[in-house]
Amino acid sequence: MNKLINDIQSFVNQVVFFVIYAGVFSFIMFGCQPKEITDAVEVVLFLQIPDIEGSAVPIVQDCELIAKDLNMGGITKCAIPNIKDTIRISLSRGYYDFELKGIVLIGSEQMQLRGYLKSFTVTAPMRDTIACTISNNHAGWVIAEIFFAGTQTPQGKNYIGDKYIVLYNNSPDTLYSDGLVLVESKLKNTSEYTLTPDFRSSAIGADALYRIPAGSNKYPVAPGGRILLVDNAMDHTKANSNSYDLSHADWEWYDQSTNPNVTDVDNPDVPNLEKIYCYTLTIWGPNNQGNTSFAIGRMPDTLTVEQYLTQYRLDYDYINVTIAGTFNMSATTYLFPNEWVIDAVNLCPSDTYEWLVTDLSLDAGYTYVAATGSDKTRFGKSVRRKTSATINHLKVLQDSNNSTDDFQTAQQADPYYFDD
């Protein structure tokens, strides 16, 4: 009986604590009205807005600050009518993510406004800065779809060679794909390490880099047009009815294997991407568990592949914490600087996320097709970017630099989805 009474009292205490703690309320000096908060802490946030070309001043159309309590799961939102004002937030002590998101008008053009503070501990009155980005929702190239898991045959056997990635011209102008580089990250979003140096704020550590040959406007893509990059440009349905006909892809990545027992297939009718670097000595394919990140970008025109491999090679150290103990490790990667990146997408199974291997300015979230890397429901599924609007019969894809918001998870793969 005493144990039952104690259990009941413990439960009541937990409920009371939850009610008090969940009473988080935030306000800004120009918006929300204050409410009584036990043990409140004031956080002052300054917005760091990038310089805008010309004299146009961003006018807020729809903007808010979101404070997410990482311990209790509560979310507080406040409207921001003026990005020049200081934001003052009153919160209970805790562990928070802050996200600023909205639409601003610069001249006659609507732009996306984004800013983030991740894993922010609120224990005492403090001040900090949110570095913001302003971008056009349909400005340039985006990664539209990633099919990394591959398929299975009707007999349930894993099938390889039919992975693909779709790039999309998300602008109202003809763009040229010459020199676009496809990057897969070395680090995985499922394994957090202490890095020395931690290069993520300045570059992506690459495990694979393949490029559309650099040229002088040889490869135009019309507005709303797509580029299909594939592993093997062949009709895979002949060997696997659950697969796709990729024989008419725009480009394929081809590897000269050093192992005569593991060789690649080359379709002479589909041009090959230029291989800058890849970790494997046999055949590369996107990580089929979906725990790496992908990016597209461009290297400087004056930089040769040989110079890149010499100047951007990095030896780094990391601490690997396992059940068996803590180990000091070393590794090598090739840096792809953030300023070269046009678009980036973080991938991670939903139940095994640990960190982001890209800087928040490139991608502040992640997307997935399954709960774990071994989840067999992932086969035949892709991640696909959402369509935010249709203008002049062309799809405008959502691009807020947050893959959690921008992508549809676990979609039935379709390499020709964006041909409509």
Side-chain angles (χ1 to χ4, degrees):
M1 178 62 71
N2 289 337
K3 182 179 184 305
L4 177 61
I5 293 174
N6 290 337
D7 289 344
I8 293 174
Q9 184 62 50
S10 176
F11 174 79
V12 171
N13 290 340
Q14 291 178 22
V15 171
V16 171
F17 174 79
F18 175 83
V19 171
I20 293 175
Y21 195 92
V24 176
F25 175 83
S26 67
F27 67 92
I28 49 181
M29 56 186 290
F30 42 73
C32 306
Q33 297 298 316
K35 183 188 290 185
E36 291 296 327
I37 305 177
T38 304
D39 202 21
V41 173
E42 184 181 66
V43 176
V44 179
L45 298 176
F46 303 92
L47 303 187
Q48 181 179 327
I49 306 296
D51 293 334
I52 306 298
E53 293 184 3
S55 58
V57 177
I59 299 174
V60 172
Q61 288 191 314
D62 181 15
C63 190
E64 65 181 2
L65 181 76
I66 303 168
K68 181 177 180 180
D69 187 332
L70 299 180
N71 289 325
M72 304 301 293
I75 295 177
T76 303
K77 298 181 180 181
C78 277
I80 300 175
N82 192 333
I83 61 176
K84 290 187 175 181
D85 288 336
T86 301
I87 304 173
R88 298 181 183 275
I89 307 170
S90 186
L91 299 171
S92 293
R93 288 179 171 85
Y95 194 45
Y96 292 88
D97 274 353
F98 293 102
E99 177 181 7
L100 185 144
K101 60 190 299 185
I103 302 295
V104 295
L105 188 67
I106 300 178
S108 60
E109 189 169 12
Q110 280 193 343
M111 307 288 280
Q112 298 264 359
L113 178 67
R114 291 292 185 271
Y116 304 92
L117 277 179
K118 293 285 188 177
S119 304
F120 193 82
T121 303
V122 176
T123 57
M126 58 185 68
R127 294 170 176 247
D128 212 311
T129 299
I130 296 183
C132 299
T133 60
I134 294 178
S135 60
N136 191 320
N137 190 46
H138 51 84
W141 296 106
V142 294
I143 299 173
E145 184 175 356
I146 305 175
F147 178 55
F148 55 82
T151 55
Q152 287 188 323
T153 67
Q155 295 75 33
K157 295 182 179 180
N158 292 355
Y159 182 84
I160 62 173
D162 57 359
K163 300 175 184 180
Y164 65 82
I165 294 173
V166 177
L167 310 184
Y168 187 83
N169 179 358
N170 206 34
S171 80
D173 305 310
T174 295
L175 298 178
Y176 294 88
S177 60
D178 309 54
L180 282 179
V181 181
L182 174 66
V183 181
E184 182 181 37
S185 70
K186 182 179 184 69
L187 299 176
K188 296 178 174 57
N189 295 300
T190 51
S191 302
E192 182 175 3
Y193 300 125
T194 300
L195 302 173
T196 306
D198 188 344
F199 49 80
R200 293 174 300 154
S201 62
S202 60
I204 297 173
D207 234 6
L209 301 104
Y210 291 80
R211 177 169 66 179
I212 295 175
S216 300
N217 297 342
K218 291 182 179 179
Y219 308 114
V221 179
R226 58 95 177 133
I227 303 172
L228 179 59
L229 312 178
V230 305
D231 189 349
N232 294 137
M234 56 186 289
D235 185 355
H236 295 276
T237 64
K238 294 180 179 179
N240 175 17
S241 60
N242 291 333
S243 191
Y244 317 97
D245 181 359
L246 301 178
S247 60
H248 303 291
D250 298 291
W251 299 89
E252 67 176 356
W253 56 84
Y254 174 76
D255 297 301
Q256 288 281 0
S257 174
T258 61
N259 185 342
N261 297 317
V262 183
T263 58
D264 210 347
V265 178
D266 188 14
N267 182 345
D269 296 326
V270 175
N272 294 329
L273 296 173
E274 177 188 7
K275 184 176 181 179
I276 297 174
Y277 167 76
C278 191
Y279 68 93
T280 179
L281 297 178
T282 56
I283 299 173
W284 176 72
N287 181 285
N288 75 357
Q289 294 192 350
N291 52 23
T292 59
S293 298
F294 287 88
I296 54 172
R298 280 194 174 94
M299 299 164 57
D301 293 338
T302 57
L303 186 69
T304 66
V305 171
E306 292 74 19
Q307 290 171 331
Y308 171 76
L309 294 176
T310 299
Q311 298 174 18
Y312 290 88
R313 184 180 186 272
L314 175 71
D315 297 321
Y316 65 95
D317 300 320
Y318 64 98
I319 299 174
N320 188 14
V321 180
T322 69
I323 297 176
T326 299
F327 303 93
N328 295 319
M329 310 289 289
S330 297
T332 299
T333 192
Y334 288 91
L335 299 179
F336 196 83
N338 291 345
E339 60 263 30
W340 297 357
V341 175
I342 297 172
D343 189 35
V345 179
N346 291 307
L347 299 173
C348 189
S350 58
D351 288 352
T352 53
Y353 167 79
E354 290 194 5
W355 68 339
L356 294 179
V357 303
T358 68
D359 188 70
L360 294 177
S361 63
L362 302 181
D363 189 7
Y366 68 93
T367 186
Y368 59 90
V369 299
T372 64
S374 60
D375 191 334
K376 294 190 176 183
T377 64
R378 74 188 190 280
F379 295 113
K381 302 291 180 59
S382 70
V383 295
R384 183 179 299 127
R385 194 176 288 272
K386 298 174 182 176
T387 299
S388 63
T390 300
I391 300 177
N392 296 327
H393 306 291
L394 298 177
K395 295 177 181 176
V396 177
L397 306 189
Q398 182 169 311
D399 183 20
S400 68
N401 287 347
N402 187 328
S403 291
T404 302
D405 296 335
D406 294 342
F407 276 80
Q408 296 174 296
T409 63
Q411 298 298 293
Q412 184 61 49
D414 180 358
Y416 306 107
Y417 177 85
F418 292 100
D419 287 358
D420 296 338

